[in-house]
Amino acid sequence: MGPLVSVWNFINLIFQFVANYSVGRVMDIVGPQWGFMIYASTMLLGILLFIGIKNRYRA
């Protein structure tokens, strides 16, 4: 289980790096308001996915 979690965390960190770098570039090019809108949209999508998954496995 340990090596699997290590690989999972590594993939997660790569994804976070790419996502944060991309949003930072967007903020540099078009302005910070769009970057914060992307962050807010990503968090909203995460909340909706969490609620959907949680409701599916509710006993």
Side-chain angles (χ1 to χ4, degrees):
M1 183 79 175
L4 177 66
V5 173
S6 288
V7 171
W8 189 359
N9 285 334
F10 178 70
I11 292 169
N12 185 24
L13 287 173
I14 290 173
F15 175 73
Q16 287 179 26
F17 173 77
V18 170
N20 287 329
Y21 180 77
S22 300
V23 172
R25 295 291 296 161
V26 168
M27 290 173 108
D28 287 343
I29 294 169
V30 296
Q33 66 274 16
W34 289 104
F36 287 113
M37 289 298 290
I38 293 170
Y39 277 131
S41 300
T42 303
M43 287 189 286
L44 182 62
L45 178 64
I47 290 169
L48 293 174
L49 283 171
F50 174 75
I51 290 170
I53 290 170
K54 186 179 80 167
N55 286 342
R56 183 174 295 170
Y57 291 105
R58 184 175 285 176

